[in-house]
Amino acid sequence: MREFTARFATAQEVSDWDTHVIANPHGGDMLQSASFADVKKHHGWKPVHLVHEPADGSQPVYTLVLEKSVPGLGRLWYMVKGPAVETVEDLKGFTNATRNLVKQHAKNVFLVKVEPVIPDSGEARAALEQAGLKKTLIIQPNDHTAVLDTDRDPEEIMKGMQSNGRNKLRRAIREEAPVELVEVNEENMRAMYALMQTARQGQLNVTLRPFSYYSRFWGNFAKSGQGRLYFAYEDGEPSVGAFVVNYGPHATYKDGGSKPRRKQRGDAHLVQWTAINDLISEHGIKDYDLCGTPPSDELKNEEHQFHGMGMFKTSFTKGTVVDYVGVWDQEINPTKVAIWNRIGEKVARQLWVRSRNEPFY
């Protein structure tokens, strides 16, 4: 087990946050970024920036923590898509350092939620349990997802697609379905949000956040050079939309929407294909996360609410789904955590949705 010490980031480190996060083992994650921290700051969370330094002097781990106060219990810390440790075995030393930091400098924190981007396996779960962590409910939609390897020639990527997806893509290319990279301005963001609202109709248990959330998210990432918006058009109007993010060696299909009963075939595939090729040529991305599918063992379950979404996204990855370990709790104050698990979280989520019309996390 490697040992770590933990501290709060300096003002200089925070000002250059993305550089440090992208230097993390495995290249960081967009939800650890400065742009995302600013989004959450305006939607109920306080960003906290931590640095965990290994005792062997190797690369520190920079982690964005989202903090929220819970009346009667204290403060909740959520390491969204983090920490970016080198191996799952590092989590034991990492969590020990976190506990020491909390006890010395953040005594009102009762619970730390970690969400490392580590593929699920029996060995990974055993290491998490040995670190004193307890499995809990997933939060982010891409804990089960389709990840496309983009570190290869585009022709090879296309050949590796499932035949139905490849055929739709080639048809859209042949018929010259109009797809454009568009400016991230008020008009286009409104059009994108309208497409997302249309796409959400008929899906159960999906709460679309308010427009103000997405406009800040899209605007922040676009201004930082890390986000872009694509539209496919039908009859002169946007018919498919995709907002994609590039962050270090990784890229993510963050948000999407489309009109139903379109005449064009394959336009959604062509939107993705255009974005993927642009990001490869301009940013040299190594992988592309299509951001959310059913779990691998439920991919073909037609009753799953994300079945259609999963079929579309895995058409790029030849039916392959990556299952991550998900969210695990580090209980700083077990008594308060028990209250939180029994009733606190349920009430907090319900009140937040009712008062803010957006998910708690």
Side-chain angles (χ1 to χ4, degrees), residues 64-78:
L64 172 66
V65 173
L66 301 178
E67 177 184 291
K68 185 173 285 192
S69 294
V70 179
L73 294 179
R75 290 180 286 168
L76 165 71
W77 276 8
Y78 171 32

Side-chain angles (χ1 to χ4, degrees), residues 60-322:
V61 178
Y62 288 80
T63 307
L64 172 66
V65 173
L66 301 178
E67 177 184 291
K68 185 173 285 192
S69 294
V70 179
L73 294 179
R75 290 180 286 168
L76 165 71
W77 276 8
Y78 171 32
M79 295 184 180
V80 55
K81 287 297 171 183
V85 290
E86 183 71 42
T87 68
V88 69
E89 287 77 17
D90 279 341
L91 281 169
K92 187 170 185 178
F94 185 98
T95 54
N96 287 342
T98 301
R99 184 179 295 275
N100 290 336
L101 177 68
V102 167
K103 287 184 175 180
Q104 294 175 25
H105 302 292
K107 295 182 179 180
N108 203 29
V109 173
F110 71 97
L111 172 63
V112 179
K113 288 183 170 290
V114 303
E115 192 177 41
V117 184
I118 294 172
D120 193 18
S121 68
E123 294 79 5
R125 291 190 176 216
L128 287 156
E129 290 171 356
Q130 289 171 8
L133 301 170
K134 296 182 179 180
K135 186 75 173 72
T136 187
L137 299 176
I138 67 171
I139 296 174
Q140 298 301 325
N142 61 338
D143 273 349
H144 307 286
T145 191
V147 180
L148 177 65
D149 172 16
T150 55
D151 193 17
R152 50 192 172 137
D153 184 83
E155 187 62 29
E156 184 181 348
I157 295 174
M158 184 182 287
K159 287 180 180 178
M161 293 174 60
Q162 286 188 326
S163 59
N164 63 335
R166 184 172 60 248
N167 292 339
K168 289 177 181 178
L169 172 58
R170 286 176 170 166
R171 176 173 176 172
I173 294 172
R174 185 172 62 251
E175 296 180 355
E176 299 181 339
V179 173
E180 295 180 5
L181 171 65
V182 301
E183 184 180 351
V184 181
N185 57 26
E186 180 77 12
E187 178 183 359
N188 288 333
M189 288 193 291
R190 291 283 181 186
M192 177 63 179
Y193 192 67
L195 290 172
M196 292 171 66
Q197 288 176 307
T198 300
R200 290 299 191 273
Q201 291 175 2
Q203 289 188 1
L204 301 176
N205 300 320
V206 175
T207 301
L208 193 64
R209 297 179 188 269
F211 175 74
S212 60
Y213 182 96
Y214 294 101
S215 63
R216 183 174 293 277
F217 188 105
W218 299 332
N220 281 3
F221 279 92
K223 288 174 185 175
S224 68
Q226 298 167 336
R228 51 181 65 196
L229 179 61
Y230 290 87
F231 283 150
Y233 291 88
E234 188 171 86
D235 299 326
E237 298 290 334
S239 55
V240 178
F243 188 84
V244 301
V245 172
N246 56 278
Y247 195 72
H250 310 301
T252 304
Y253 168 34
K254 171 60 176 63
D255 295 308
S258 61
K259 291 183 177 179
R261 297 178 294 278
R262 301 187 306 281
K263 293 175 287 186
Q264 292 177 151
R265 298 276 292 176
D267 53 357
H269 282 83
L270 185 56
V271 167
Q272 294 298 318
W273 185 247
T274 303
I276 290 165
N277 280 274
D278 286 353
L279 292 169
I280 291 172
S281 63
E282 296 176 31
H283 296 283
I285 62 165
K286 304 302 182 185
D287 52 61
Y288 184 79
D289 185 350
L290 286 118
C291 205
T293 66
S296 57
D297 59 358
E298 291 193 63
L299 181 62
K300 295 184 179 180
N301 176 10
E302 296 183 3
E303 299 302 315
H304 196 284
Q305 63 173 339
F306 300 134
H307 172 73
M309 184 186 302
M311 291 294 99
F312 168 72
K313 293 177 179 180
T314 57
S315 69
F316 288 90
T317 63
K318 214 158 192 177
T320 301
V321 167
V322 178

